[in-house]
């Protein structure tokens, strides 16, 4: 096998130097282009009329030296023809269509490299905070169209901004790959998500095939193509498949585990023979939803905290520098772990009295810890973490641990047997695995096994743009997946209660955590 | 091999009784439909978004008993979904896109039968009488778009009229097949025909693939598909391929000949091993172009004439009955043959003097024959045929015979060796082969060998609608064709001059013609 890595983008440009027609060669213009492509190994290209019409002019203006763009989702399809050699200008847009945040990355398809990145709050948020409220919103007349239009508009905004950053025209973007959960994919395509959240929980479609840019309402090359990552039923979306793809766990003999912490948390466990996916509502506290000063990982968010064990004074870092506005998920885990480690917080999540540190203050009849005094914060307000916040965080981490514990036990696998423990999600890029172990959110296994994937949803979408064979790989992953409903049984609930302690009521499960 | 003829229309409807989803079967709606189709032998159906969006509603409104329409040009494609069993309502429109006349036939795809027929004068005529002037018209700004719009509008008019005749909605027309010459196909699709008439005579495309109804601007099912019959270079259009298909000459060991007399005349000669096509400008006189009272074969046209050898009085029939307006091509051939046979006309095309018949009158310094006196005609004007008309007709028939003679001689084939002599074109439906032999337009072979195909362009288009395998057959025919330019050499010209006589200066070539 050759080690040469071939660049096989979703849309490929081919520079063709064709011989001009003559009385001895009356091949039609389109067939001439097709023959040129065939010589490059591209057979039987479909040619939409909108592209075919420009072929005669471009061929003759360029002296029959042209660059043609061919889309490779399903049958090869002609997406454009330009005079001369423009193979160096070929762009794709990867989109992570999150419930809360939409991230776009402009990819140079001639190299596979990322050119520019940007994100936007999903404007659907104003019509519904989460997936369920948005599905409900579709019951309004025109609701689905309104949600669709907002997603499309948001992506168009990102496309225009990224094109401007890169000094290209948005029309030079030949393709787009979109990764999101099942509901987001449906809303983006205008497919009714009604049955996604209603028994028997059936999506309209799992695989979306090749979609035209114009058909999808996107302001890129109107003949460009859109690939939406497939989903596997109502609860396993393309974002999860992207995570698996990026982790590579589906290609290894050893069993690994992947946790994708977004607005919801999905857990994947498996290897090259099988993949099991479970979903749980573990995430909100870590995405800034239910914590007073919680916020998403973005500029102004504290992402890391350490507390001096002697003075109980914190040191922290802020994403993007400058004054702090709030605490993102990784900072919350750090805080919980540090407060517990230095002894300001007990295993039940209760603060030691103010005598121990002036930073611990009474708050709404309970206690709180001042992370940033008002004089140092961006808002002028104290940034604090309260016992109520901590209760929520402990509930979140306990839910996560319980799910991990139940799933592995049912499969007869111990945590120690896991080859790797992948953490995906934007949040996952900042997490300190050691701290997550300290609070008993994830199991006490060697820290080297923890692998942070970052926003694997967009990384996966980029991978597809740069390598079209990944679409088949995603189909293969989809076919391997079994979805498991978490039974919130009596057993689960008693385990959950036992996990509502730092790190756990059964300290033998966390031998490495000292307190 | 089985003798059962399977109905395999271009768009096929499948009635699917699907099991509803349940917690034990969470297949998505689209995949459920795909699985149903797979059970009918249809694999991997593409589903455009516009159709996919309606699937959930239609499935549930119908209790999961639905009819889906699938287009079979290239990869199978979902064109619609309807509740219940509508397999009996599936319609296609065949179009003969002639330079002068556009004919439409509505086909019931569930049976393959024709439901209704109608025709319109091609509204492009007002912008250019023939192919060359229309190509020239495209040099005007917006000219191509204007011509395209007229063709599309004309077809939409026919679609609406035929749908009304048949008591269906135009949206129930799921597909269209369009047969025309290369220029007409280009104009219909908005492809620039500039190079068709300029050396080296290269069309934009020969095969057009699957075109969307909406893309083509057609007011039928917007997700419907349009198939344009392929052409072979600038001079051999889909209409010629349709003629070959209908004749079946490409599937027989014996060599046959086909003459397609339209605005131009094409000659095809060959068998199952090879096909040679020649084109010549033989037609105009027979389509009413250069004969004073000539007209197309339509209501009011005289199509048949006989002349009493004693009284020299004519008897004639009029298409559609009623009073006569003019003479169509078959009547012109009849007249020429009859006038010659009864001795009113000599071999050079000169009338005997008025002493012989009062119907022969002096006209513009020459002579003419009154076919219909003004008192009996629709216009109140005498319908006559003049010596100048006869000169034009003789030139036309001589050109036809010379081309036939030159081509067969070059191939080393005698006329007597031909298994069949097919005559295609609307004109061809009315022609009396014996009369055509009498004037020396076609060779003196047994009359049983003459086979009139009628408008084989539209018959071929109907065949494609009713049998999708014919698209592959047309591709096969296209691949077999060699186009031969007629060299207007000295040899050709001297033969042409020898043929400008009734039936021919060399009477041994027409032993059966008595005078």
């Amino acid at each position: 096998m050759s080690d040469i890595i071939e660049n096989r983008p979703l849309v490929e440009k081919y520079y063709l130097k064709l011989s001009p027609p003559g009385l001895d060669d009356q091949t039609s213009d389109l067939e001439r282009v097709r023959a040129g492509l065939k010589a490059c190994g591209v057979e039987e290209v479909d040619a939409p009329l909108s592209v075919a019409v420009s072929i005669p002019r471009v061929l003759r203006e360029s002296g029959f030296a042209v660059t043609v763009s061919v889309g490779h989702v399903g049958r090869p399809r002609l997406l454009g023809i330009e005079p001369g050699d423009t193979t160096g200008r070929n762009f794709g847009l990867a989109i992570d269509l999150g419930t809360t945040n939409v991230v776009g990355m402009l990819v140079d398809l001639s190299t596979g490299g990322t050119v520019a990145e940007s994100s936007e709050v999903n404007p659907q948020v104003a019509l519904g905070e989460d997936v369920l409220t948005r599905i409900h919103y579709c019951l309004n007349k025109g609701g689905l169209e309104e949600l669709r239009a907002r997603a499309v508009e948001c992506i168009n905004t990102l496309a225009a901004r990224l094109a401007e950053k890169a000094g290209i025209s948005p029309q030079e973007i030949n393709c787009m790959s979109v990764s999101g959960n099942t509901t987001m994919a449906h809303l983006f395509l205008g497919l009714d998500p009604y049955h996604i959240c209603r028994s028997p929980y059936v999506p309209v479609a799992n695989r979306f095939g090749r979609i035209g840019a114009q058909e999808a309402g996107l302001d890129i090359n109107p003949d460009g193509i859109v690939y939406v990552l497939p989903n596997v039923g109502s609860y396993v979306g393309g974002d999860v498949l992207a995570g698996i793809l990026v982790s590579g766990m589906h290609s290894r003999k050893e069993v690994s585990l992947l946790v994708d912490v977004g607005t919801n948390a999905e857990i994947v466990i498996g290897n090259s023979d099988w993949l099991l996916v479970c979903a749980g509502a573990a995430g909100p506290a870590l995405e800034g939803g239910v914590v007073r000063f919680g916020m998403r990982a973005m500029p102004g968010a504290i992402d890391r905290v350490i507390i001096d064990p002697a003075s109980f004074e914190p040191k922290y870092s802020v994403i993007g520098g400058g004054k702090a506005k709030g605490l993102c998920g990784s900072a919350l885990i750090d805080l919980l772990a540090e407060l517990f480690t230095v002894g300001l917080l007990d295993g039940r999540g209760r603060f030691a009295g103010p005598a121990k540190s002036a930073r611990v203050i009474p708050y709404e009849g309970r206690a709180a810890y001042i992370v940033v005094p008002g004089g140092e914060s961006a808002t002028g307000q104290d940034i604090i973490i309260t016992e109520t916040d901590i209760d929520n965080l402990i509930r979140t981490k306990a839910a996560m641990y319980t799910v991990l514990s139940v799933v592995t036990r049912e499969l007869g696998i111990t945590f120690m047997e896991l080859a790797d423990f992948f953490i995906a999600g934007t949040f996952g890029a900042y997490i300190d695995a050691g701290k997550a172990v300290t609070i008993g959110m994830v199991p006490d296994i060697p820290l080297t096994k923890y692998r942070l994937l970052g926003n694997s949803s967009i990384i996966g979408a980029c991978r597809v743009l740069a390598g079209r064979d990944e679409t088949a790989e995603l189909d293969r992953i989809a076919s391997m997946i079994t979805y498991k409903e978490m039974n919130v049984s009596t057993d689960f609930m008693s385990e959950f209660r036992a996990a509502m302690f730092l790190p756990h009521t059964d300290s033998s499960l966390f031998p490495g955590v000292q307190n």
Side-chain angles (χ1 to χ4, degrees), chain A:
Chain A
M1 219 178 104
S2 163
D3 264 357
I4 295 167
I5 295 169
E6 216 185 329
N7 189 30
R8 287 168 59 82
L10 205 61
V11 170
E12 192 154 353
K13 280 191 162 188
Y14 303 87
Y15 178 49
L16 307 177
K17 287 165 135 172
L18 303 167
S19 54
L23 285 170
D24 55 342
D25 173 12
Q26 296 176 312
T27 311
S28 77
D29 289 348
L30 177 58
E31 272 79 18
R32 190 170 301 276
V33 169
R34 281 210 178 103
L37 284 170
K38 198 172 173 179
C40 302
V42 185
E43 306 256 356
E44 286 296 310
V45 181
D46 283 342
L49 273 185
S50 45
V51 175
V53 292
S54 60
I55 293 179
R57 182 183 48 76
V58 177
L59 281 182
R60 286 165 186 83
E61 279 178 11
S62 66
F64 290 82
V66 294
T67 301
V68 292
S69 305
V70 177
H72 289 281
V73 177
R75 263 173 78 115
R77 186 176 174 89
L78 221 57
L79 307 184
I81 179 165
E82 297 161 305
D85 184 352
T86 66
T87 48
R89 292 181 76 85
N90 186 16
F91 300 93
L93 180 59
I95 294 286
D96 167 34
L97 188 57
T99 308
T100 315
N101 243 0
V102 183
V103 186
M105 275 193 187
L106 189 67
V107 176
D108 181 340
L109 299 179
S110 69
T111 63
T114 306
V115 178
E117 181 179 349
S118 186
S119 71
E120 277 283 306
V121 170
N122 187 333
Q124 295 176 331
V125 166
L127 305 180
E129 271 286 327
D130 55 27
V131 156
L132 278 179
T133 51
R134 285 183 213 167
I135 295 178
H136 203 75
Y137 191 83
C138 291
L139 294 174
N140 300 323
K141 193 170 157 56
L144 171 57
E145 266 322 298
E146 204 180 336
L147 284 162
R148 176 184 185 164
R150 285 187 178 226
V152 169
E153 191 196 319
C154 175
I155 293 174
N156 282 336
T157 302
L158 286 172
R161 185 188 303 153
L162 290 168
E164 200 188 336
K165 272 192 189 186
I168 66 166
S169 148
Q171 268 62 45
E172 288 186 83
I173 300 173
N174 281 321
C175 56
M176 206 176 268
S177 64
V178 180
S179 171
N181 63 49
T182 303
T183 301
M184 292 310 301
H186 277 58
L187 294 179
F188 167 57
L189 298 174
L191 301 172
D192 189 355
Y194 184 89
H195 296 281
I196 287 179
C197 68
R198 285 169 179 90
S199 180
Y201 313 105
V202 169
V204 177
N206 284 323
R207 287 170 57 199
F208 306 99
R210 180 188 61 223
I211 297 155
Q214 207 158 32
E215 189 182 4
L218 297 168
D219 296 336
I220 58 170
N221 172 356
D223 292 301
I225 52 173
V226 182
Y227 173 80
V228 177
L229 273 70
N231 42 255
V232 184
S234 290
Y235 297 116
V236 184
D239 50 353
V240 176
L241 269 64
I244 298 171
L245 179 76
V246 171
S247 77
M249 62 187 290
H250 62 295
S251 302
R252 297 167 62 189
K253 279 260 164 280
E254 304 85 10
V255 175
S256 296
L257 194 146
L258 182 153
V259 178
D260 188 342
V261 189
T263 306
N264 294 301
E266 281 100 4
I267 289 164
V268 186
I269 181 164
N271 62 10
S272 55
D273 292 325
W274 55 273
L275 290 167
L276 189 86
V277 180
C278 301
L286 296 171
E287 277 214 327
V290 293
V291 169
R292 196 175 164 82
F293 285 95
M295 66 181 284
R296 284 187 305 279
M298 54 188 289
I302 296 176
D303 61 342
R304 281 249 158 291
V305 187
I306 51 170
I307 298 177
D308 185 281
S311 67
F312 303 120
E313 288 298 297
K315 285 185 181 165
Y316 58 84
S317 64
V318 177
I319 297 177
K323 289 188 171 180
K325 292 177 187 165
L327 302 157
C328 80
S330 56
L332 293 171
I333 291 171
D334 278 7
L335 263 176
L336 204 57
E338 291 285 299
L339 289 168
F340 175 63
T341 307
V342 301
L344 278 184
L345 203 65
D346 67 19
R348 291 169 304 124
R350 299 287 165 270
F351 280 112
K356 207 162 181 182
S357 162
R359 291 211 170 226
V360 177
I361 55 165
Y363 187 81
E364 293 180 355
R366 303 184 69 183
Y369 175 83
I370 301 171
V371 187
V372 184
E376 295 169 24
S377 79
T379 56
Q381 225 187 335
D382 286 352
I383 297 175
I384 60 173
I385 182 162
T386 71
E387 280 184 356
T388 307
D389 292 341
I390 287 169
D391 286 349
N392 284 326
L393 287 169
I394 288 178
R395 200 170 293 117
T396 295
K397 78 95 190 171
M400 168 83 81
Y401 185 80
T402 308
V403 173
L404 292 171
S405 168
V406 169
V407 171
T408 47
R409 179 148 26 81
E410 286 194 5
L411 290 167
I413 291 166
T414 65
F415 289 133
M416 289 308 283
E417 285 175 81
L418 296 173
D420 277 306
F421 193 111
F422 298 100
I423 299 177
T426 305
F427 156 75
Y430 299 94
I431 203 173
D432 179 330
K435 301 283 167 69
V437 171
T438 298
I439 64 169
M441 178 174 164
V442 293
D444 189 2
I445 56 173
L447 291 181
T448 52
K449 291 194 175 185
Y450 283 101
R451 308 269 298 273
L452 308 183
L453 298 180
N455 182 349
S456 54
S457 176
I458 192 127
I459 297 169
C462 288
R463 287 261 293 263
V464 169
L465 288 179
R468 57 186 178 262
D469 303 321
E470 304 289 21
T471 63
E473 196 66 1
L474 286 166
D475 285 342
R476 194 170 74 83
I477 293 171
S479 72
M480 290 170 67
I481 286 179
T482 309
Y483 175 71
K484 189 177 158 52
E485 188 94 27
M486 259 299 117
N487 265 325
V488 185
S489 57
T490 320
D491 269 12
F492 182 94
M493 286 312 292
S494 73
E495 270 201 65
F496 176 61
R497 269 188 297 272
M500 300 247 285
F501 197 84
L502 297 178
H504 197 279
T505 49
D506 179 359
S507 61
S508 74
L509 294 170
F510 290 85
V513 179
Q514 314 275 317
N515 190 232

